[in-house]
Amino acid sequence: MKKPTLASLAAELKVSRQTVSNVLNFPDRVRPETRRRVQEAIDRAGYMPSAAARALRNQKAMVLGLRLSDPRNGISGSFMDGFTHALVTLADKQGYRVVLFPATTKAEEVDKLVELRRTLAIDACVLTDTWIDDDRPAQLLELGVPFAAFGRPWDATDHGRWVDVDGRAGAREAALYLRSLGHERIGFMGWSDGSPVGRDRMAGWKEALGLSDAEALDLVLESDDTVADGAANMSLLLGRGVTAAVCASDSLALGAHTVNRRRGRHGVSLVGFDNTPVAQAVGLASMRQPVADVARIVLDKVLQQLDDEDSAQDGVLLAPSLVTREPEG
Amino acid sequence: MKKPTLASLAAELKVSRQTVSNVLNFPDRVRPETRRRVQEAIDRAGYMPSAAARALRNQKAMVLGLRLSDPRNGISGSFMDGFTHALVTLADKQGYRVVLFPATTKAEEVDKLVELRRTLAIDACVLTDTWIDDDRPAQLLELGVPFAAFGRPWDATDHGRWVDVDGRAGAREAALYLRSLGHERIGFMGWSDGSPVGRDRMAGWKEALGLSDAEALDLVLESDDTVADGAANMSLLLGRGVTAAVCASDSLALGAHTVNRRRGRHGVSLVGFDNTPVAQAVGLASMRQPVADVARIVLDKVLQQLDDEDSAQDGVLLAPSLVTREPEG
C-alpha cells in the first residue's frame, strides 16, 4: 500500500489539503463534523506528518546534539558513558532524542554543531569536557546555538549555562577521610595533561591538608590516566614515605592498588574518583559523582532556552560523595 | 542578518525559486551563466537548504537509529560502548549520524523505530542484543524498516542482515589454551539468564574438551554477570577440583581472579571474554571481539540496503582472538 499523504487524504475525502492540515494542527478551525470525518480517515490510513514536514513548519527537530566523547581507557570512560545513558533516557521522557557525532577537535565540534543547527537537524546541544580557554561556549552563544555544558567555563568569564561537579570539595573530603584514618603523609596522583579538572582536585587535596607548595611538590606525581602509570607512581610515592593517596581517577587508583596488594597489610589507603564498577569490584574507596543529577540539570538548562532564549545564564556546582570500602584481600 | 531563503535569494537575483532550487539540485538544467550567478549568490549568502527541506525532497534523513543498550555493570558494558563509538565514528565518514533512544522492551524498540522511520527521522537502524525468538528482525522486515543487526538470529529462520562474533569458536580456543597449559579439570562460568550468547560459549568449551553432558554438569556454574557471583562460583568450582576456567565475561573472570589471588601460586588459570580494560588492568587472559570490524560490516549492510532494497540478506560470523597475559601478583 502506498503511504498516504496530505494530498491523497484530501482527494479521498474531497476536502482541501488545508483542511486536512488544519485538523492536524489547528483542529479548532475545522467544523466538528468535518474534523471527525478527517480524523477517522487519518487514523485509518495511519497518516502522520513526517518529522521533516513538522520540522519545517515548527522549525523544531526535537533532537539534541552531543559530541561522542573521545574513547578513553574503559575505566574512566565508564563515567562519560554513564552521563550519555542518563541524558538519552531523560531527554526521551521530554520527547527529545540525542544525536551523536564524532569530532577530533573542539573547532570541528563547533563547526558541526553550527551546521546541524543551521539545517534544523538539532534544536540545541550539550557540551562536555570543558577546558581552560575553551572557545566553544562563547562561539555557540555568538552563533546562536542553544547549549548547556557538563563542565564549568574554566576561564574567568562566565559563558552560558553549565553544571559541574565540585572536584575540589571531593578531593578535600577524600584527603580528610584518609587523615581521619590516621595517615600523615598523604600523596596525590594526578594527570600530566594540564586538565583543569585534575588541577582542581589537586587543589582540594592540598587545601585539606594545609600543605605549602614545597610540601605538596614532594607528595604529587602526575601521569597519563592509565593503570600502568598509577602502579609506577605508587611505587615512587611509597619510596617517599607516603602511606595513603588521593587519586584523580579510579584508573590511577587501580594501578596504585595493584602495587599495594603486593605489600599485604602494609599497603597504603587509597581514594579514587568516579566510583566506577572497577572500584566497586576490587573494593576501592572512591568519590561518586552524581551523574544522573548532572544530566537532569543539563537537560533542564537546554530545554529552558528553547522556551525562553533569555533564560538565566548560570552554573550549578554539585557535590560528589565519598564511598568507602574495605579492599578485598 | 536574516537567514537567506530560497525565496529571498530568488528575489535578490530576479530569477524564479525553481531556478535557485535547480542550481542546488539539478545544475545541468540551468544555463551556465545563470548557474554561475546563482551559485555565487548562494556562496555569498551562506544559503543552505535545511535538513528538513532536504529530507522532504530526498526522503532521506542521513540518520541511523540505535537503541541505547541497557546499562550493565560497567565492565561488560564497555564492550557495547565500544561498538557504539566505532559505529558513530564510521557512520560519520559516510555522512550519517546516529540517534540514540531508550526502550525498555524489544516491542517498544520496534514501535519507536517504526515511528522514527515513518516520520523520516531515520533512514535505517542497527539492532543489538539479538535473542532466541527475537521478533524484531521479522517485524522490521515486514514493516519496511531497513536494518542490520549486531547479533545473529538465534532461531532457525534467517532474518535480515547481521554480523556476529563466533563465541563458540572463542570458547573452544580458550579451553584448548587452558588445556595446553597442562590443566585437566577446566570449568566454565556462565550466565543464568538463558542468554544464547552464553549458551553458545558454553557449547564451545564443552566441545573443545570432549565432555559428556554429565561431565560438563559438574564443571559448569551459571549466575548473574557480576564480580561477586564470579567470586562465589570460583570458590565452589575450586571445591570441585577445578584448576582452570573459561568465563563467559570479564566480570565473572575478575570475580574469579579475586578469589584466585588469595591462593597465590596455587591459583587457577582463567580466560575471560571481551578483553575489557579491566582484564588488561589486572592481567587476565581474555577473548578479544573485533568490535571495529563488527561496526564496519554492520554499517556496510545498512547502507547497502539504502542503495538497493534487494541487497542480499545474509550474515557474517567473525572470529574472536585470544589475548594471553601474565596475571600480576
Side-chain angles (χ1 to χ4, degrees):
Chain A
M1 196 186 86
K2 212 164 160 296
K3 229 165 97 178
T5 64
L6 213 60
S8 71
L9 277 171
E12 178 194 335
L13 296 166
K14 298 193 170 54
V15 299
S16 71
R17 285 177 54 158
Q18 189 58 52
T19 301
V20 181
S21 174
N22 281 348
V23 170
L24 287 165
N25 301 304
F26 311 101
D28 291 349
R29 297 187 190 166
V30 186
R31 278 185 307 163
E33 190 187 329
T34 313
R35 193 164 70 213
R36 204 163 35 243
R37 200 162 61 89
V38 173
Q39 191 60 58
E40 278 170 16
I42 286 172
D43 294 344
R44 208 163 48 232
Y47 170 77
M48 253 221 91
S50 74
R54 275 182 288 124
L56 262 189
R57 192 170 58 236
N58 304 330
Q59 305 278 302
K60 251 185 134 175
M62 301 302 285
V63 179
L64 305 176
L66 177 68
R67 172 186 176 175
L68 186 71
S69 288
D70 295 329
R72 311 180 202 194
N73 73 66
I75 296 169
S76 307
S78 76
F79 176 67
M80 281 312 294
D81 288 323
F83 172 73
T84 304
H85 271 259
L87 184 72
V88 169
T89 306
L90 293 166
D92 181 71
K93 291 184 182 149
Q94 308 280 335
Y96 282 83
R97 294 182 302 278
V98 174
V99 72
L100 287 181
F101 64 93
T104 50
T105 64
K106 287 183 164 51
E108 186 190 343
E109 179 182 359
V110 169
D111 286 349
K112 285 192 169 172
L113 286 170
V114 168
E115 191 58 23
L116 288 168
R117 168 71 181 155
R118 192 160 67 134
T119 55
L120 301 181
I122 61 169
D123 302 313
C125 65
V126 172
L127 299 183
T128 62
D129 301 297
T130 56
W131 208 258
I132 301 153
D133 295 327
D134 194 326
D135 293 334
R136 293 173 302 166
Q139 286 176 345
L140 293 177
L141 279 174
E142 191 186 325
L143 294 163
V145 181
F147 73 94
F150 172 14
R152 72 199 81 172
W154 287 100
D155 44 11
T157 51
D158 221 49
H159 287 311
R161 292 92 176 160
W162 55 268
V163 184
D164 207 351
V165 177
D166 192 344
R168 188 169 186 148
R172 257 198 317 260
E173 189 178 349
L176 292 176
Y177 164 70
L178 292 171
R179 174 157 283 176
S180 78
L181 296 179
H183 294 284
E184 301 203 342
R185 278 182 76 75
I186 301 168
F188 182 82
M189 294 174 53
W191 300 314
S192 54
D193 62 357
S195 144
V197 172
R199 291 292 154 93
D200 197 47
R201 292 178 186 175
M202 185 166 77
W205 157 84
K206 188 170 166 237
E207 227 166 69
L209 302 177
L211 300 170
S212 69
D213 288 352
E215 286 168 330
L217 204 61
D218 194 39
L219 295 170
V220 168
L221 281 175
E222 296 182 318
S223 66
D224 287 348
D225 189 36
T226 67
V227 174
D229 281 343
N233 281 346
M234 189 73 251
S235 296
L236 291 173
L237 285 176
L238 285 168
R240 298 184 193 172
V242 159
T243 64
V246 175
C247 305
S249 74
D250 281 354
S251 317
L252 293 173
L254 180 63
H257 181 67
T258 59
V259 170
N260 207 7
R261 213 155 38 209
R262 295 195 197 112
R263 301 170 50 95
R265 290 172 186 283
H266 305 292
V268 301
S269 296
L270 299 165
V271 182
F273 250 91
D274 291 358
N275 193 33
T276 58
V278 176
Q280 296 170 37
V282 304
L284 276 172
S286 190
M287 298 307 304
R288 192 186 74 85
Q289 301 206 50
V291 64
D293 289 335
V294 170
R296 185 177 49 76
I297 303 175
V298 162
L299 183 65
D300 279 354
K301 288 189 175 293
V302 168
L303 298 187
Q304 269 166 27
Q305 282 167 84
L306 297 182
D307 285 339
D308 172 13
E309 273 182 37
D310 301 321
S311 73
Q313 288 191 36
D314 61 1
V316 173
L317 214 47
L318 302 175
S321 53
L322 175 66
V323 180
T324 60
R325 292 192 177 90
E326 280 301 304
E328 45 76 25
Chain B
M1 193 187 86
K2 213 163 159 297
K3 227 164 95 174
T5 62
L6 212 60
S8 72
L9 277 172
E12 180 195 331
L13 295 167
K14 298 193 171 56
V15 298
S16 71
R17 285 176 55 158
Q18 190 58 53
T19 301
V20 181
S21 174
N22 281 348
V23 170
L24 287 165
N25 301 305
F26 311 100
D28 291 350
R29 297 187 190 166
V30 186
R31 278 185 305 164
E33 190 184 329
T34 313
R35 193 165 73 211
R36 205 162 35 240
R37 199 160 63 88
V38 172
Q39 191 59 57
E40 279 170 14
I42 287 170
D43 293 345
R44 208 162 48 233
Y47 170 77
M48 254 223 93
S50 75
R54 273 182 288 125
L56 263 189
R57 191 171 56 236
N58 303 331
Q59 305 279 305
K60 250 187 133 175
M62 301 302 285
V63 179
L64 306 175
L66 177 68
R67 172 186 179 178
L68 186 70
S69 286
D70 295 331
R72 312 184 201 190
N73 73 65
I75 296 168
S76 307
S78 75
F79 176 66
M80 281 312 293
D81 288 323
F83 172 72
T84 304
H85 270 259
L87 184 72
V88 169
T89 306
L90 293 167
D92 180 72
K93 291 185 182 147
Q94 309 279 336
Y96 282 83
R97 294 183 302 280
V98 174
V99 72
L100 288 180
F101 64 93
T104 50
T105 62
K106 287 184 163 51
E108 186 190 342
E109 179 182 358
V110 169
D111 285 350
K112 286 193 167 170
L113 286 170
V114 168
E115 190 59 23
L116 287 168
R117 166 72 181 156
R118 194 158 68 131
T119 57
L120 302 181
I122 60 169
D123 302 313
C125 66
V126 171
L127 300 183
T128 62
D129 300 298
T130 54
W131 208 258
I132 301 153
D133 295 327
D134 194 326
D135 293 334
R136 295 173 301 168
Q139 286 177 346
L140 293 177
L141 279 174
E142 190 185 326
L143 294 163
V145 181
F147 73 93
F150 171 14
R152 74 199 82 172
W154 288 98
D155 44 11
T157 50
D158 220 51
H159 287 312
R161 290 92 176 161
W162 55 267
V163 184
D164 207 351
V165 177
D166 191 344
R168 189 168 186 149
R172 256 197 319 256
E173 188 177 350
L176 292 177
Y177 163 70
L178 292 170
R179 173 157 283 175
S180 78
L181 296 180
H183 293 284
E184 302 203 342
R185 277 183 76 75
I186 300 168
F188 182 82
M189 296 175 53
W191 300 314
S192 54
D193 63 356
S195 143
V197 172
R199 291 295 154 90
D200 196 47
R201 292 179 186 175
M202 186 166 77
W205 157 83
K206 189 171 164 236
E207 229 167 68
L209 302 176
L211 299 169
S212 69
D213 287 352
E215 287 169 328
L217 204 62
D218 193 40
L219 295 171
V220 167
L221 281 174
E222 296 183 316
S223 67
D224 287 347
D225 189 36
T226 68
V227 174
D229 282 343
N233 281 347
M234 188 71 252
S235 296
L236 292 173
L237 285 177
L238 285 169
R240 298 186 192 169
V242 158
T243 63
V246 175
C247 304
S249 73
D250 280 353
S251 316
L252 293 173
L254 180 63
H257 180 67
T258 60
V259 170
N260 206 9
R261 212 153 38 208
R262 296 196 194 105
R263 300 169 51 95
R265 291 173 186 282
H266 304 293
V268 301
S269 296
L270 300 164
V271 182
F273 250 93
D274 290 357
N275 193 31
T276 59
V278 176
Q280 296 170 35
V282 304
L284 276 171
S286 190
M287 298 307 303
R288 194 185 74 84
Q289 301 205 50
V291 64
D293 289 335
V294 171
R296 184 176 49 77
I297 302 176
V298 162
L299 184 66
D300 279 353
K301 288 189 173 292
V302 169
L303 299 186
Q304 268 166 26
Q305 280 168 87
L306 298 181
D307 285 338
D308 173 14
E309 273 183 38
D310 300 319
S311 73
Q313 288 190 38
D314 61 0
V316 172
L317 215 45
L318 301 175
S321 53
L322 175 67
V323 180
T324 60
R325 293 191 177 90
E326 280 301 303
E328 44 75 25

